[in-house]
Structure formats: structure tokens, C-alpha cells
Amino acid sequence: MALIVRWKASPVSSLLVALLCLYNDAGAQRGRGLPPPDLPYLGFNTKTSYFFAERASEPTPITTPGCRPAFFWFYGRHGARYPYEHVINAMQEILPELQEETLLQHARGQGALSPDALMALRRWSMPYGPQDALEHAPVGFTEVMTVGKRYGIRLPEIFRNATSQNILVSVTDTNRAADSGVAFLQGVYGQNHANDFVILRGHEDADLIRWPYWCRNYQIIYNRNPEVLTQRFRFTRSPEMRRLIYRVQRRMGLTRALSFDEMLLMYDVCRFDVAINPFISQPARAWCPLFHREDLEILEYLDDIQRYWKHGYGFPKQFQPSCVLIRNFAEHLRALRNGNSPVRARIMFSHQGEMLKLYAALGLFRDPQPFLATNYRANRNRRFNATKIMPFAANFALLVERCGPGRLNIRAFVNELEVRIPRLDAANGDFFAAFRNEIQNCDLQDFCQNSGLGQN
């Protein structure tokens, strides 16, 4: 059953606005995508802060000579969130022991952490608990609000003087997606006018914006398919990974063997702490000095292997049902062409898995060779790199411009940067020709075997 929510202003809005101002100041001093001085690398895969991701420079209105914006289709990911509950529980149980062990070994003259790093580690304590699991961090709201603000500046003709009839907003049935819908609207319209719009949460089109969650056949055949993790499992036992674990072990000063799971837990707390506190260094990043750039690049590839096989090009059939999103855009495009739709923008907030599947269905970021445990170095310059294409608050947009009678032009953007869709270019900009099969033969019911859509 649909839950229709008309949102109220957040009581922490003043804090979020202050954070946004802080980001703008920091970004102006540091430049977009550049790491803070205390971090050697920010390749944290899907846990990368949007503030450090590759994106457009200062926003200016999007223009094409002889054309005017007519329709905006936006599919976004929520902002920075807290870890899963089982990860938080493991952090609470294991990290204090690793913290004590590392400090003790350094007191004995072992290890390689600097005095500042040791002080930060000594002061560190868990900043969140199981009750926060998967919830939006305050800065996550700010990330998405930033995206909304920037697109409001870039597309004034789309958003100016609009009503809820013109701007359709849908989110998945999660708090972090719902917060993102609010944040985007507050970014575009400000806190007060954002309340004039309706956000549909868990609406019947949940099958559209988060189809894998409702598709039982997908869950059984693909999401639980052990072959999805085969290459990742092999890479965890690769020479690169063994050397990485040993390097971290030596920096800690341990005389025993560090396990892969212990190392991964320290990596997780490092990257979550950076994402949740992008403007605060010590002690928030107390675990990051254990990892150098080479280590972070290897761990970045570890995550990309999993996402390539679970959401990307590894198993083509598993992303084909993303045709429902392609078909949805085509329906809006057809209505616009026929001149019988008041809709100017379709805004949706979902999750990284669904977005990566859409990118694969569109043919974006395809690499010439598969991601294997044995070809890390050959894939170092890969296109399907979640740090670049799927940070927190990642966003994909299609802008339709009207360029005279009967002529529509389509432009695509990933994280505000314009990208080319090869299939669309090959079809000379004709979306219906480029994606004819996805539009005409998209049968999600058949893929899901008519069992699971709209069910828990």
C-alpha cells in the first residue's frame, strides 16, 4: 500500500545548512575531488564521500544553442549512511581489542605509526551504535541537498514555479532514501518551499525503483548465487592481498598473524569514518594511517570485483530487468513528444546496486576485460570503478531539451558530469531506436516468474 508523505522541515536543518556552507568553503580551498592533507587516497569505493568524488565544477545553467530544457529524469543514491548492524557489532567487539594490542606493541617499541597517529588511535572510540545501522548520517543529508541545490541552479526552467503536478518524487521504503528525497527538494527550493511537494515512499512503483528487492526469482537465482563471489574470494587469497595484510600487521606492530577479517574491519571503520566526517581529521580517522595508497587501491579493486559480478557486466541477464527504468524514461519521453504531460521532472532515490545495474543496462562504463582475481594490474584504469561512478549520493540524470518543432535532444549526466551513451550515439540520438528491445520486450513479471513482485 502506498504511503504518501508531505514532509515537514527537519529540526536539524540549521546544522545541515551550516555543514553545507562549510563544505562550500572547504571545496573552494581544496578543489573538487582532492583528498584532505591527512589522507593519501580517497578510493573508498561505494563508501566514498560525494564531496570528494569526481563531479562537475561550480554549477551554471545547462544550455544548448537553440534548445531549452523540457524534462529531467533523475535516479539517485542516498547520501552517506552508517554500516550494517552486524558490521557495527563486529566493530564494537573487535576494534577495542585491536586498538589495545596496537598501542601495547608500540609501547614495546614495535610498529610504525607516527606519534600523531598513535594519539588519535588512543583517543578513538566507536562514534555510532547498532541503533544507527543503515540510517542516514547528517552529512549524507547534506550531500544530497548539495546535489539538489546544484541542479536547481543548472536547470532553473525545470524547477522554477513548479508544483507537485510538475515534479514527481519517489523513494524506496527506507529512511535514508526518504531523507534523500527531502534533502534534494530542500536543496532546490529551500526549507520552506520544499514542503509544497509530495514524496511517495514505498509506492506501487517500488517495483520500478528497486525491482531486485521485490523479485523473488532474482533473489534466489542471482543474489544468492555463490558464483557471484568466486572471483572476490580468490582475490582475498591473492599475493597482493597477502602482502597487504602483512604490511598492515607490521604497521600495527603485531607479532601474531593479522587475519583478513580483522584487516577488513579496520578498513571499513576508516572509510565509514571519512564518509561520515569528511571535514574532521583526528581522531575520526584514527584507523586510516594503517593503510597506504597501494593498500587502498587493492581494497578498492576487491569491492569492484564483487560489484562487477553482482550488479554489473559479470552476469548480463541479472541486469536486463533494469529495462523497467529505461522504459519509464521512454514513457515520459513519448508523453513529452505528444505534448500531453505536465511533468517536468521525475526524481527517484534508490540504492547503489540498482544504479549499477542501470548503468550496465545502458552500456555505460564497460571494460574490455572481465574483473578477475588474477588481473588486478590490467584493470587499474577500469571504467567500472565505483569510487568514481557510485560514491554516496551518486546520481544519474537524463535531460531532454526541446530544440524546435518535433525535435528533442537527450543529454546524460553521471554525478553532474556529462557522459555519452554509446548506444544512443550509434542511433543518432534516437532513444526509441537505441533501446527498442528494452522498451518493447521488458517483462519483469516473466523474469520474476510472477512470484515476488510487491511482496516481502
Side-chain angles (χ1 to χ4, degrees):
M1 182 176 180
L3 174 63
I4 302 178
V5 181
R6 192 176 295 272
W7 289 88
K8 300 296 183 183
S10 168
V12 296
S13 292
S14 58
L15 171 61
L16 296 171
V17 170
L19 282 172
L20 180 57
C21 294
L22 176 59
Y23 157 66
N24 287 335
D25 291 342
Q29 295 172 10
R30 198 165 49 234
R32 66 180 180 86
L34 297 179
D38 64 319
L39 291 174
Y41 186 62
L42 289 168
F44 292 133
N45 209 266
T46 57
K47 309 307 183 292
T48 303
S49 169
Y50 191 73
F51 296 141
F52 302 143
E54 292 185 6
R55 53 177 179 75
S57 56
E58 286 308 306
T60 56
I62 299 173
T63 59
T64 299
C67 303
R68 300 184 66 178
F71 176 69
F72 181 62
W73 193 91
F74 178 97
Y75 194 65
R77 184 191 180 198
H78 56 80
R81 63 160 174 83
Y82 296 102
Y84 284 96
E85 183 175 356
H86 74 273
V87 175
I88 295 176
N89 289 334
M91 288 176 176
Q92 289 183 325
E93 178 183 353
I94 296 171
L95 289 179
E97 297 176 0
L98 293 173
Q99 177 188 34
E100 181 178 357
E101 198 173 1
T102 303
L103 294 173
L104 178 61
Q105 290 304 113
H106 277 76
R108 293 172 175 172
Q110 304 297 316
L113 293 179
S114 70
D116 286 344
L118 282 173
M119 182 180 297
L121 187 61
R122 187 174 292 108
R123 293 168 55 197
W124 179 87
S125 61
M126 274 292 292
Y128 41 81
Q131 72 280 359
D132 299 311
L134 294 179
E135 295 295 332
H136 233 184
V139 77
F141 190 106
T142 311
E143 287 174 314
V144 181
M145 187 165 65
T146 300
V147 175
K149 180 179 181 180
R150 293 165 65 88
Y151 267 119
I153 294 171
R154 303 181 80 191
L155 295 170
E157 292 187 59
I158 294 291
F159 294 106
R160 185 188 298 127
N161 300 322
T163 69
S164 58
Q165 298 289 316
N166 309 125
I167 311 295
L168 305 182
V169 185
S170 298
V171 301
T172 65
D173 194 17
T174 62
N175 290 339
R176 58 192 184 277
D179 284 349
S180 297
V182 180
F184 187 92
L185 290 173
Q186 287 195 9
V188 175
Y189 294 106
Q191 181 175 309
N192 294 327
H193 292 296
N195 295 332
D196 297 335
F197 296 87
V198 172
I199 297 175
L200 301 180
R201 171 174 172 167
H203 193 241
E204 54 263 21
D205 67 1
D207 295 342
L208 166 69
I209 58 178
R210 202 181 189 187
W211 66 261
Y213 186 80
W214 304 101
C215 180
R216 185 169 299 165
N217 195 32
Y218 171 82
Q219 292 293 335
I220 293 172
I221 298 176
Y222 295 103
N223 198 39
R224 301 169 190 170
N225 180 3
E227 292 184 27
V228 166
L229 298 178
T230 297
Q231 293 300 323
R232 181 190 185 278
F233 177 80
R234 290 174 180 171
F235 193 57
T236 63
R237 283 151 177 77
S238 67
E240 291 94 345
M241 193 63 65
R242 288 198 299 269
R243 288 193 292 267
L244 184 160
I245 294 171
Y246 182 67
R247 289 193 296 268
V248 175
Q249 174 187 319
R250 292 198 63 180
R251 290 177 199 129
M252 296 174 72
L254 303 187
T255 55
R256 65 168 180 85
L258 180 70
S259 73
F260 171 81
D261 289 339
E262 289 174 323
M263 179 278 297
L264 197 63
L265 201 60
M266 293 186 290
Y267 170 63
D268 271 341
V269 75
C270 162
R271 60 181 180 165
F272 271 107
D273 284 352
V274 173
I276 292 168
N277 300 288
F279 311 120
I280 302 172
S281 54
Q282 309 293 2
R285 298 168 182 158
W287 297 92
C288 292
L290 291 170
F291 301 92
H292 293 185
R293 182 182 182 111
E294 181 183 4
D295 310 318
L296 296 173
E297 289 178 346
I298 291 170
L299 291 168
E300 181 184 32
Y301 185 64
L302 175 71
D303 274 2
D304 277 339
I305 289 179
Q306 178 171 334
R307 281 166 180 78
Y308 175 89
W309 292 98
K310 186 172 183 179
H311 303 302
Y313 292 103
F315 295 102
K317 192 172 181 180
Q318 70 177 352
F319 63 73
Q320 289 174 1
S322 293
C323 63
V324 294
L325 291 161
I326 295 172
R327 186 177 61 188
N328 177 262
F329 174 75
E331 290 168 353
H332 284 288
L333 186 61
R334 186 177 291 112
L336 182 68
R337 189 173 61 183
N338 295 337
N340 58 2
S341 174
V343 179
R344 297 186 208 165
R346 180 75 162 94
I347 310 296
M348 294 169 280
F349 279 97
S350 188
H351 307 270
Q352 55 98 359
E354 287 71 21
M355 289 190 69
L356 289 171
K357 289 180 176 67
L358 174 60
Y359 289 165
L362 290 168
L364 291 171
F365 311 116
R366 184 189 291 271
D367 290 280
Q369 56 186 322
F371 291 8
L372 305 175
T374 54
N375 64 359
Y376 159 63
R377 298 203 176 277
N379 279 315
R380 292 192 73 170
N381 295 319
R382 59 196 176 275
R383 301 185 188 99
F384 197 84
N385 183 330
T387 292
K388 297 179 179 179
I389 66 176
M390 197 52 58
F392 283 125
N395 50 91
F396 172 74
L398 292 168
L399 173 65
V400 183
E401 299 173 311
R402 195 181 295 279
C403 307
R407 181 168 171 250
L408 299 176
N409 181 54
I410 300 172
R411 298 173 65 176
F413 299 85
V414 171
N415 301 336
E416 306 175 60
L417 290 168
E418 188 161 12
V419 297
R420 308 299 301 182
I421 300 178
R423 288 173 62 179
L424 189 60
D425 289 342
N428 295 317
D430 185 338
F431 192 86
F432 295 98
F435 297 97
R436 179 178 289 109
N437 183 61
E438 287 81 358
I439 296 169
Q440 296 180 356
N441 302 309
C442 186
D443 191 343
L444 194 58
Q445 292 279 352
D446 179 66
F447 179 86
C448 296
Q449 297 182 348
N450 298 316
S451 62
L453 286 177
Q455 302 177 24
N456 288 316

